[in-house]
Short mmCIF file of all heavy atoms in Angstrom, two decimals:
data_model
loop_
_atom_site.label_atom_id
_atom_site.label_comp_id
_atom_site.label_asym_id
_atom_site.label_seq_id
_atom_site.Cartn_x
_atom_site.Cartn_y
_atom_site.Cartn_z
N MET A 1 114.43 62.34 162.92
CA MET A 1 114.21 63.55 163.75
C MET A 1 112.97 63.35 164.63
O MET A 1 111.95 62.95 164.15
CB MET A 1 113.99 64.77 162.82
CG MET A 1 115.27 65.31 162.23
SD MET A 1 116.39 65.92 163.48
CE MET A 1 117.82 66.29 162.46
N ALA A 2 113.15 63.67 165.86
CA ALA A 2 112.07 63.45 166.79
C ALA A 2 111.37 64.78 167.14
O ALA A 2 110.73 64.87 168.18
CB ALA A 2 112.57 62.78 168.05
N GLY A 3 111.53 65.79 166.30
CA GLY A 3 110.88 67.05 166.58
C GLY A 3 111.59 67.82 167.67
O GLY A 3 112.80 67.69 167.81
N THR A 4 110.84 68.59 168.41
CA THR A 4 111.48 69.44 169.42
C THR A 4 111.00 69.05 170.82
O THR A 4 109.93 68.49 171.01
CB THR A 4 111.12 70.94 169.16
OG1 THR A 4 109.70 71.09 169.33
CG2 THR A 4 111.53 71.35 167.75
N ARG A 5 111.81 69.43 171.80
CA ARG A 5 111.45 69.22 173.16
C ARG A 5 111.93 70.45 173.96
O ARG A 5 112.94 71.06 173.63
CB ARG A 5 112.17 67.98 173.74
CG ARG A 5 111.32 66.74 173.67
CD ARG A 5 112.15 65.52 174.00
NE ARG A 5 112.51 65.42 175.41
CZ ARG A 5 113.23 64.44 175.94
NH1 ARG A 5 113.65 63.47 175.16
NH2 ARG A 5 113.49 64.48 177.19
N ASN A 6 111.19 70.77 175.02
CA ASN A 6 111.58 71.88 175.85
C ASN A 6 112.53 71.41 176.95
O ASN A 6 112.26 70.40 177.62
CB ASN A 6 110.34 72.54 176.50
CG ASN A 6 109.71 73.55 175.56
OD1 ASN A 6 109.85 73.43 174.35
ND2 ASN A 6 108.97 74.48 176.11
N PHE A 7 113.63 72.13 177.07
CA PHE A 7 114.61 71.90 178.15
C PHE A 7 115.05 73.25 178.67
O PHE A 7 115.00 74.26 177.95
CB PHE A 7 115.89 71.22 177.61
CG PHE A 7 115.73 69.80 177.14
CD1 PHE A 7 115.78 69.50 175.79
CD2 PHE A 7 115.53 68.77 178.08
CE1 PHE A 7 115.66 68.20 175.37
CE2 PHE A 7 115.36 67.46 177.62
CZ PHE A 7 115.45 67.18 176.30
N PRO A 8 115.50 73.27 179.94
CA PRO A 8 116.16 74.49 180.41
C PRO A 8 117.44 74.72 179.64
O PRO A 8 118.18 73.80 179.39
CB PRO A 8 116.47 74.21 181.89
CG PRO A 8 115.62 73.02 182.24
CD PRO A 8 115.43 72.24 180.95
N CYS A 9 117.69 75.95 179.22
CA CYS A 9 118.90 76.30 178.52
C CYS A 9 119.78 77.15 179.41
O CYS A 9 119.31 78.12 180.01
CB CYS A 9 118.58 77.08 177.24
SG CYS A 9 120.06 77.76 176.45
N GLU A 10 121.05 76.75 179.52
CA GLU A 10 121.99 77.46 180.38
C GLU A 10 122.21 78.90 179.92
O GLU A 10 122.37 79.82 180.72
CB GLU A 10 123.30 76.72 180.43
CG GLU A 10 124.24 77.27 181.49
CD GLU A 10 125.49 76.42 181.63
OE1 GLU A 10 125.64 75.44 180.91
OE2 GLU A 10 126.32 76.79 182.47
N THR A 11 122.21 79.11 178.63
CA THR A 11 122.49 80.45 178.11
C THR A 11 121.23 81.33 178.24
O THR A 11 121.36 82.48 178.68
CB THR A 11 122.88 80.34 176.62
OG1 THR A 11 124.05 79.55 176.47
CG2 THR A 11 123.17 81.73 176.02
N CYS A 12 120.08 80.80 177.84
CA CYS A 12 118.85 81.58 177.87
C CYS A 12 118.37 81.79 179.31
O CYS A 12 117.73 82.78 179.65
CB CYS A 12 117.77 80.91 177.05
SG CYS A 12 118.11 80.81 175.30
N GLY A 13 118.65 80.78 180.17
CA GLY A 13 118.19 80.85 181.55
C GLY A 13 116.70 80.52 181.70
O GLY A 13 116.12 80.74 182.75
N THR A 14 116.09 79.97 180.63
CA THR A 14 114.69 79.64 180.64
C THR A 14 114.45 78.32 179.94
O THR A 14 115.40 77.82 179.28
CB THR A 14 113.86 80.73 179.93
OG1 THR A 14 114.47 81.02 178.68
CG2 THR A 14 113.81 82.00 180.72
N ASP A 15 113.27 77.78 180.03
CA ASP A 15 112.94 76.61 179.20
C ASP A 15 112.74 77.04 177.78
O ASP A 15 111.98 77.97 177.50
CB ASP A 15 111.62 76.01 179.72
CG ASP A 15 111.87 74.92 180.75
OD1 ASP A 15 112.80 75.08 181.50
OD2 ASP A 15 111.11 73.94 180.78
N GLU A 16 113.44 76.39 176.86
CA GLU A 16 113.36 76.75 175.46
C GLU A 16 113.21 75.48 174.63
O GLU A 16 113.70 74.39 175.03
CB GLU A 16 114.65 77.45 175.01
CG GLU A 16 114.91 78.76 175.70
CD GLU A 16 113.91 79.84 175.32
OE1 GLU A 16 113.27 79.72 174.23
OE2 GLU A 16 113.67 80.75 176.13
N PRO A 17 112.60 75.57 173.45
CA PRO A 17 112.55 74.39 172.55
C PRO A 17 113.96 74.07 172.04
O PRO A 17 114.75 74.95 171.71
CB PRO A 17 111.65 74.86 171.41
CG PRO A 17 111.59 76.37 171.48
CD PRO A 17 111.86 76.72 172.90
N HIS A 18 114.25 72.78 172.04
CA HIS A 18 115.50 72.26 171.51
C HIS A 18 115.21 71.28 170.39
O HIS A 18 114.19 70.59 170.45
CB HIS A 18 116.29 71.53 172.60
CG HIS A 18 116.90 72.40 173.66
ND1 HIS A 18 116.12 73.24 174.49
CD2 HIS A 18 118.18 72.61 174.00
CE1 HIS A 18 116.95 73.88 175.29
NE2 HIS A 18 118.19 73.54 175.03
N ARG A 19 116.10 71.17 169.49
CA ARG A 19 115.96 70.11 168.44
C ARG A 19 117.22 69.25 168.46
O ARG A 19 118.30 69.68 168.85
CB ARG A 19 115.72 70.73 167.05
CG ARG A 19 116.90 71.46 166.50
CD ARG A 19 116.67 71.72 165.00
NE ARG A 19 117.72 72.56 164.39
CZ ARG A 19 118.91 72.09 164.00
NH1 ARG A 19 119.23 70.83 164.18
NH2 ARG A 19 119.79 72.86 163.44
N GLN A 20 117.04 68.00 167.93
CA GLN A 20 118.20 67.13 167.84
C GLN A 20 119.06 67.54 166.64
O GLN A 20 118.60 68.30 165.76
CB GLN A 20 117.71 65.66 167.69
CG GLN A 20 117.12 65.17 168.99
CD GLN A 20 116.79 63.69 168.93
OE1 GLN A 20 115.90 63.30 168.23
NE2 GLN A 20 117.52 62.89 169.72
N LEU A 21 120.28 67.08 166.65
CA LEU A 21 121.23 67.51 165.61
C LEU A 21 121.07 66.69 164.34
O LEU A 21 120.79 65.50 164.38
CB LEU A 21 122.67 67.37 166.12
CG LEU A 21 122.98 68.06 167.45
CD1 LEU A 21 124.46 67.86 167.79
CD2 LEU A 21 122.62 69.53 167.44
N SER A 22 121.32 67.38 163.22
CA SER A 22 121.36 66.62 161.93
C SER A 22 122.64 65.79 161.92
O SER A 22 123.55 65.96 162.76
CB SER A 22 121.39 67.63 160.78
OG SER A 22 122.63 68.32 160.76
N LYS A 23 122.75 64.90 160.97
CA LYS A 23 123.95 64.03 160.85
C LYS A 23 125.18 64.92 160.70
O LYS A 23 126.23 64.64 161.31
CB LYS A 23 123.81 63.11 159.68
CG LYS A 23 122.84 61.96 159.93
CD LYS A 23 123.40 61.00 160.95
CE LYS A 23 122.35 59.91 161.29
NZ LYS A 23 122.60 59.32 162.62
N GLY A 24 125.09 65.95 159.90
CA GLY A 24 126.23 66.83 159.67
C GLY A 24 126.66 67.56 160.92
O GLY A 24 127.82 67.71 161.24
N GLU A 25 125.63 68.02 161.67
CA GLU A 25 125.93 68.72 162.93
C GLU A 25 126.52 67.77 163.96
O GLU A 25 127.37 68.12 164.74
CB GLU A 25 124.63 69.34 163.47
CG GLU A 25 124.18 70.53 162.66
CD GLU A 25 122.76 70.96 162.97
OE1 GLU A 25 121.98 70.16 163.56
OE2 GLU A 25 122.40 72.08 162.58
N GLN A 26 126.09 66.50 163.95
CA GLN A 26 126.63 65.50 164.85
C GLN A 26 128.12 65.28 164.59
O GLN A 26 128.94 65.20 165.48
CB GLN A 26 125.87 64.18 164.76
CG GLN A 26 124.46 64.27 165.34
CD GLN A 26 123.73 62.96 165.28
OE1 GLN A 26 124.32 61.90 165.25
NE2 GLN A 26 122.40 63.01 165.28
N GLN A 27 128.46 65.23 163.28
CA GLN A 27 129.85 65.06 162.91
C GLN A 27 130.67 66.27 163.34
O GLN A 27 131.81 66.13 163.83
CB GLN A 27 129.97 64.86 161.39
CG GLN A 27 129.53 63.46 160.98
CD GLN A 27 129.50 63.29 159.45
OE1 GLN A 27 129.84 64.20 158.73
NE2 GLN A 27 129.16 62.07 159.03
N GLN A 28 130.08 67.44 163.20
CA GLN A 28 130.71 68.68 163.63
C GLN A 28 130.99 68.65 165.13
O GLN A 28 132.10 68.99 165.59
CB GLN A 28 129.77 69.86 163.33
CG GLN A 28 130.41 71.15 162.96
CD GLN A 28 129.35 72.20 162.69
OE1 GLN A 28 128.18 71.95 162.56
NE2 GLN A 28 129.79 73.46 162.62
N LEU A 29 130.02 68.16 165.89
CA LEU A 29 130.16 68.12 167.35
C LEU A 29 131.28 67.13 167.73
O LEU A 29 132.02 67.40 168.65
CB LEU A 29 128.83 67.71 167.95
CG LEU A 29 128.81 67.52 169.48
CD1 LEU A 29 129.21 68.84 170.17
CD2 LEU A 29 127.42 67.09 169.93
N VAL A 30 131.36 65.99 167.03
CA VAL A 30 132.44 65.06 167.32
C VAL A 30 133.79 65.72 167.06
O VAL A 30 134.72 65.57 167.85
CB VAL A 30 132.25 63.78 166.46
CG1 VAL A 30 133.52 62.89 166.58
CG2 VAL A 30 131.00 63.01 166.84
N GLY A 31 133.87 66.48 165.97
CA GLY A 31 135.11 67.17 165.63
C GLY A 31 135.49 68.22 166.65
O GLY A 31 136.63 68.37 167.04
N ILE A 32 134.51 68.94 167.15
CA ILE A 32 134.76 70.06 168.05
C ILE A 32 135.04 69.56 169.47
O ILE A 32 135.95 69.98 170.13
CB ILE A 32 133.55 71.02 168.08
CG1 ILE A 32 133.35 71.70 166.80
CG2 ILE A 32 133.73 72.07 169.21
CD1 ILE A 32 131.99 72.44 166.68
N ALA A 33 134.15 68.69 169.94
CA ALA A 33 134.16 68.33 171.35
C ALA A 33 134.48 66.88 171.63
O ALA A 33 134.58 66.48 172.81
CB ALA A 33 132.80 68.70 171.99
N GLY A 34 134.72 66.07 170.57
CA GLY A 34 134.97 64.66 170.78
C GLY A 34 133.80 63.94 171.45
O GLY A 34 133.99 62.98 172.15
N ALA A 35 132.58 64.45 171.15
CA ALA A 35 131.42 63.82 171.77
C ALA A 35 131.29 62.36 171.33
O ALA A 35 131.42 62.03 170.14
CB ALA A 35 130.15 64.57 171.35
N LYS A 36 131.08 61.48 172.29
CA LYS A 36 131.01 60.02 172.00
C LYS A 36 129.64 59.62 171.52
O LYS A 36 129.51 58.66 170.78
CB LYS A 36 131.40 59.21 173.21
CG LYS A 36 132.86 59.37 173.57
CD LYS A 36 133.26 58.40 174.65
CE LYS A 36 134.76 58.42 174.95
NZ LYS A 36 135.24 59.75 175.41
N HIS A 37 128.61 60.33 171.96
CA HIS A 37 127.25 59.98 171.56
C HIS A 37 126.55 61.23 171.04
O HIS A 37 125.61 61.72 171.69
CB HIS A 37 126.50 59.39 172.75
CG HIS A 37 127.20 58.20 173.35
ND1 HIS A 37 127.23 56.96 172.75
CD2 HIS A 37 127.91 58.08 174.49
CE1 HIS A 37 127.90 56.10 173.51
NE2 HIS A 37 128.31 56.76 174.55
N PRO A 38 126.93 61.72 169.88
CA PRO A 38 126.39 62.99 169.39
C PRO A 38 124.90 62.93 169.14
O PRO A 38 124.21 63.99 169.13
CB PRO A 38 127.17 63.24 168.07
CG PRO A 38 127.65 61.89 167.66
CD PRO A 38 127.91 61.14 168.93
N GLY A 39 124.33 61.72 168.99
CA GLY A 39 122.91 61.58 168.76
C GLY A 39 122.12 61.93 170.00
O GLY A 39 120.87 62.05 169.91
N GLU A 40 122.74 62.05 171.14
CA GLU A 40 122.02 62.36 172.39
C GLU A 40 121.94 63.85 172.66
O GLU A 40 121.35 64.24 173.64
CB GLU A 40 122.76 61.69 173.59
CG GLU A 40 122.73 60.18 173.52
CD GLU A 40 123.47 59.55 174.70
OE1 GLU A 40 124.04 60.28 175.51
OE2 GLU A 40 123.47 58.30 174.76
N TYR A 41 122.54 64.63 171.78
CA TYR A 41 122.57 66.06 172.04
C TYR A 41 121.37 66.81 171.45
O TYR A 41 120.81 66.41 170.42
CB TYR A 41 123.86 66.69 171.46
CG TYR A 41 125.06 66.35 172.32
CD1 TYR A 41 125.63 65.07 172.30
CD2 TYR A 41 125.58 67.25 173.20
CE1 TYR A 41 126.70 64.75 173.09
CE2 TYR A 41 126.64 66.95 174.03
CZ TYR A 41 127.18 65.70 173.98
OH TYR A 41 128.28 65.37 174.78
N TRP A 42 121.00 67.87 172.14
CA TRP A 42 119.91 68.73 171.69
C TRP A 42 120.47 70.16 171.63
O TRP A 42 121.34 70.56 172.42
CB TRP A 42 118.77 68.70 172.73
CG TRP A 42 118.06 67.36 172.77
CD1 TRP A 42 118.57 66.23 173.36
CD2 TRP A 42 116.81 67.02 172.22
NE1 TRP A 42 117.67 65.22 173.21
CE2 TRP A 42 116.57 65.67 172.51
CE3 TRP A 42 115.85 67.75 171.48
CZ2 TRP A 42 115.42 64.99 172.10
CZ3 TRP A 42 114.71 67.08 171.10
CH2 TRP A 42 114.47 65.72 171.38
N MET A 43 119.96 70.95 170.68
CA MET A 43 120.42 72.32 170.49
C MET A 43 119.29 73.28 170.71
O MET A 43 118.18 73.13 170.18
CB MET A 43 120.98 72.46 169.05
CG MET A 43 121.58 73.82 168.81
SD MET A 43 122.49 73.86 167.25
CE MET A 43 121.12 73.81 166.10
N CYS A 44 119.57 74.31 171.49
CA CYS A 44 118.59 75.32 171.82
C CYS A 44 118.19 76.16 170.59
O CYS A 44 119.05 76.57 169.82
CB CYS A 44 119.14 76.25 172.93
SG CYS A 44 117.95 77.54 173.40
N MET A 45 116.91 76.36 170.45
CA MET A 45 116.43 77.17 169.35
C MET A 45 115.92 78.55 169.86
O MET A 45 115.15 79.26 169.17
CB MET A 45 115.28 76.46 168.61
CG MET A 45 115.73 75.09 168.08
SD MET A 45 114.61 74.42 166.81
CE MET A 45 113.06 74.49 167.68
N GLY A 46 116.33 78.91 171.04
CA GLY A 46 115.95 80.19 171.62
C GLY A 46 116.55 81.38 170.87
O GLY A 46 117.41 81.19 169.98
N HIS A 47 116.12 82.54 171.21
CA HIS A 47 116.57 83.77 170.52
C HIS A 47 116.42 83.65 169.01
O HIS A 47 117.39 83.85 168.24
CB HIS A 47 118.02 84.10 170.90
CG HIS A 47 118.19 84.47 172.34
ND1 HIS A 47 117.73 85.64 172.91
CD2 HIS A 47 118.76 83.77 173.36
CE1 HIS A 47 118.01 85.66 174.17
NE2 HIS A 47 118.62 84.53 174.51
N SER A 48 115.27 83.22 168.54
CA SER A 48 114.95 83.08 167.15
C SER A 48 115.92 82.09 166.43
O SER A 48 116.28 82.30 165.25
CB SER A 48 115.00 84.43 166.42
OG SER A 48 114.09 85.30 167.02
N GLY A 49 116.36 81.09 167.15
CA GLY A 49 117.19 80.06 166.57
C GLY A 49 118.66 80.36 166.62
O GLY A 49 119.50 79.58 166.11
N THR A 50 119.08 81.46 167.20
CA THR A 50 120.49 81.84 167.17
C THR A 50 121.24 81.38 168.43
O THR A 50 122.45 81.52 168.48
CB THR A 50 120.66 83.37 167.01
OG1 THR A 50 120.03 84.00 168.15
CG2 THR A 50 120.02 83.85 165.74
N CYS A 51 120.53 80.88 169.41
CA CYS A 51 121.20 80.50 170.68
C CYS A 51 122.19 79.34 170.40
O CYS A 51 123.33 79.43 170.67
CB CYS A 51 120.16 80.11 171.74
SG CYS A 51 120.95 79.60 173.29
N ARG A 52 121.63 78.20 169.91
CA ARG A 52 122.46 77.03 169.51
C ARG A 52 123.28 76.45 170.66
O ARG A 52 124.29 75.74 170.41
CB ARG A 52 123.35 77.41 168.31
CG ARG A 52 122.55 77.88 167.13
CD ARG A 52 123.44 78.32 165.97
NE ARG A 52 124.20 77.26 165.33
CZ ARG A 52 123.68 76.44 164.39
NH1 ARG A 52 122.47 76.58 163.98
NH2 ARG A 52 124.42 75.50 163.87
N THR A 53 122.91 76.71 171.90
CA THR A 53 123.62 76.08 173.01
C THR A 53 123.26 74.60 173.05
O THR A 53 122.11 74.21 172.87
CB THR A 53 123.21 76.74 174.34
OG1 THR A 53 123.60 78.12 174.30
CG2 THR A 53 123.83 76.04 175.54
N LEU A 54 124.25 73.75 173.32
CA LEU A 54 124.09 72.31 173.30
C LEU A 54 123.91 71.74 174.71
O LEU A 54 124.50 72.24 175.66
CB LEU A 54 125.34 71.67 172.66
CG LEU A 54 125.57 72.05 171.18
CD1 LEU A 54 126.99 71.73 170.80
CD2 LEU A 54 124.60 71.31 170.33
N ARG A 55 123.14 70.68 174.77
CA ARG A 55 123.00 69.93 176.01
C ARG A 55 122.55 68.52 175.61
O ARG A 55 122.20 68.26 174.44
CB ARG A 55 121.96 70.54 176.95
CG ARG A 55 120.57 70.71 176.27
CD ARG A 55 119.50 70.97 177.33
NE ARG A 55 119.44 69.84 178.24
CZ ARG A 55 119.12 69.94 179.58
NH1 ARG A 55 118.80 71.09 180.09
NH2 ARG A 55 119.08 68.88 180.33
N THR A 56 122.56 67.59 176.56
CA THR A 56 121.92 66.31 176.31
C THR A 56 120.59 66.31 177.02
O THR A 56 120.29 67.22 177.77
CB THR A 56 122.79 65.12 176.82
OG1 THR A 56 122.79 65.14 178.25
CG2 THR A 56 124.19 65.18 176.27
N GLY A 57 119.80 65.27 176.80
CA GLY A 57 118.51 65.20 177.43
C GLY A 57 118.65 65.14 178.97
O GLY A 57 117.70 65.55 179.68
N PHE A 58 119.75 64.61 179.46
CA PHE A 58 119.89 64.38 180.87
C PHE A 58 120.78 65.43 181.54
O PHE A 58 120.74 65.62 182.73
CB PHE A 58 120.47 62.98 181.15
CG PHE A 58 119.64 61.90 180.62
CD1 PHE A 58 120.06 61.22 179.47
CD2 PHE A 58 118.45 61.54 181.20
CE1 PHE A 58 119.28 60.20 178.91
CE2 PHE A 58 117.71 60.52 180.70
CZ PHE A 58 118.10 59.84 179.53
N ASN A 59 121.65 66.05 180.77
CA ASN A 59 122.67 66.88 181.37
C ASN A 59 122.70 68.24 180.70
O ASN A 59 122.95 68.38 179.48
CB ASN A 59 124.03 66.16 181.18
CG ASN A 59 125.13 66.85 181.98
OD1 ASN A 59 124.95 67.92 182.52
ND2 ASN A 59 126.25 66.19 182.08
N GLN A 60 122.51 69.27 181.54
CA GLN A 60 122.55 70.62 180.98
C GLN A 60 123.98 71.05 180.68
O GLN A 60 124.20 71.94 179.85
CB GLN A 60 121.90 71.60 181.99
CG GLN A 60 121.70 73.00 181.43
CD GLN A 60 120.92 73.88 182.41
OE1 GLN A 60 120.25 73.39 183.29
NE2 GLN A 60 121.01 75.18 182.22
N ARG A 61 124.95 70.40 181.35
CA ARG A 61 126.34 70.79 181.12
C ARG A 61 127.19 69.56 180.76
O ARG A 61 128.05 69.13 181.53
CB ARG A 61 126.92 71.42 182.41
CG ARG A 61 126.25 72.76 182.75
CD ARG A 61 126.94 73.32 183.95
NE ARG A 61 126.35 74.62 184.30
CZ ARG A 61 126.88 75.42 185.23
NH1 ARG A 61 127.94 75.04 185.92
NH2 ARG A 61 126.34 76.58 185.47
N PRO A 62 126.91 69.03 179.59
CA PRO A 62 127.65 67.80 179.24
C PRO A 62 129.13 68.00 179.00
O PRO A 62 129.89 67.05 178.97
CB PRO A 62 126.95 67.33 177.93
CG PRO A 62 126.42 68.59 177.35
CD PRO A 62 126.01 69.46 178.51
N PHE A 63 129.58 69.22 178.89
CA PHE A 63 131.00 69.49 178.60
C PHE A 63 131.78 69.84 179.89
O PHE A 63 132.96 70.11 179.81
CB PHE A 63 131.16 70.57 177.54
CG PHE A 63 130.36 70.29 176.32
CD1 PHE A 63 129.21 71.00 176.05
CD2 PHE A 63 130.76 69.32 175.44
CE1 PHE A 63 128.47 70.73 174.92
CE2 PHE A 63 130.01 69.05 174.32
CZ PHE A 63 128.89 69.76 174.04
N GLY A 64 131.08 69.91 180.99
CA GLY A 64 131.78 70.16 182.27
C GLY A 64 131.99 71.61 182.53
O GLY A 64 131.96 72.06 183.64
N GLY A 65 132.25 72.42 181.52
CA GLY A 65 132.51 73.82 181.75
C GLY A 65 131.30 74.67 181.50
O GLY A 65 130.21 74.32 181.87
N GLY A 66 131.47 75.79 180.88
CA GLY A 66 130.39 76.67 180.54
C GLY A 66 129.59 76.17 179.34
O GLY A 66 129.87 75.08 178.85
N PRO A 67 128.61 76.93 178.93
CA PRO A 67 127.78 76.52 177.78
C PRO A 67 128.62 76.38 176.53
O PRO A 67 129.56 77.11 176.29
CB PRO A 67 126.77 77.62 177.66
CG PRO A 67 127.18 78.70 178.56
CD PRO A 67 128.23 78.20 179.50
N ARG A 68 128.31 75.36 175.73
CA ARG A 68 128.98 75.13 174.46
C ARG A 68 127.95 75.30 173.35
O ARG A 68 126.88 74.76 173.41
CB ARG A 68 129.60 73.74 174.46
CG ARG A 68 130.51 73.44 173.25
CD ARG A 68 131.87 74.04 173.48
NE ARG A 68 132.64 73.35 174.49
CZ ARG A 68 133.64 72.46 174.22
NH1 ARG A 68 134.00 72.20 173.00
NH2 ARG A 68 134.28 71.90 175.19
N LYS A 69 128.35 75.97 172.30
CA LYS A 69 127.42 76.26 171.17
C LYS A 69 127.98 75.61 169.92
O LYS A 69 129.22 75.47 169.76
CB LYS A 69 127.24 77.74 170.95
CG LYS A 69 126.67 78.48 172.16
CD LYS A 69 126.41 79.91 171.86
CE LYS A 69 125.80 80.57 173.08
NZ LYS A 69 124.95 81.75 172.70
N LEU A 70 127.09 75.32 169.01
CA LEU A 70 127.50 74.85 167.70
C LEU A 70 127.68 76.09 166.80
O LEU A 70 126.76 76.92 166.73
CB LEU A 70 126.42 73.90 167.13
CG LEU A 70 126.94 72.84 166.15
CD1 LEU A 70 127.94 71.93 166.78
CD2 LEU A 70 125.73 72.06 165.63
N PRO A 71 128.80 76.23 166.13
CA PRO A 71 128.98 77.48 165.29
C PRO A 71 128.00 77.48 164.14
O PRO A 71 127.44 76.49 163.76
CB PRO A 71 130.42 77.28 164.77
CG PRO A 71 130.92 75.92 165.14
CD PRO A 71 129.95 75.36 166.13
ZN1 ZN B 101 119.31 78.91 174.70
#
């Protein structure tokens, strides 16, 4: 775990702290979205940790469509 980093969040509309996914969450992401590199994803911890919108370090919209969240 590399701690947290601030990124713009598409859902929050502001810079928010994000954390990298746990191994279990990475597997979940592969199952949901077929992500090829789940280790590159970051999850928004905005709204007291309930936002959970996903992005990569380079791409705010890695899924092409609207914001995607981890359940
Ligand atoms: Zn957010």
